[in-house]
Amino acid sequence: MEAAGVRRRFEGVPAHVECSVRSDDAYEYVFLLNHSGELGASVPVGGEGTDLLTGRPVSGEVALEPLGAAVIRRATP
């Protein structure tokens, strides 16, 4: 990955969790999808934001249930 000039946005994301980031001028949206039906996951995302699926505040890390999802909105860095 690094040889191709691609860097990880978030270190420590488990292999069974898909992480995508989209942004505009005001916000960054972090999409997290846990593809495991058996394993939960703790995903470090750094910073603070709001999980748009639950309305709960997020700070530093997101806990995903098996097959869980989160969409974190936070200010664009």
Side-chain angles (χ1 to χ4, degrees):
M1 209 163 85
E2 289 179 22
V6 178
R7 68 174 183 85
R8 291 182 184 270
R9 180 68 188 270
F10 302 105
E11 292 295 330
V13 176
H16 60 280
V17 174
E18 178 181 344
C19 177
S20 300
V21 179
R22 302 290 182 266
S23 62
D24 60 22
D25 292 336
Y27 294 104
E28 174 177 79
Y29 300 88
V30 181
F31 295 83
L32 300 168
L33 300 171
N34 184 354
H35 291 282
S36 173
E38 299 175 3
L39 301 174
S42 181
V43 182
V45 293
E48 296 182 354
T50 302
D51 183 341
L52 296 179
L53 300 181
T54 66
R56 295 185 185 137
V58 172
S59 181
E61 196 167 88
V62 175
L64 295 174
E65 298 291 327
L67 300 177
V71 179
I72 310 304
R73 181 182 68 195
R74 57 192 191 176
T76 298

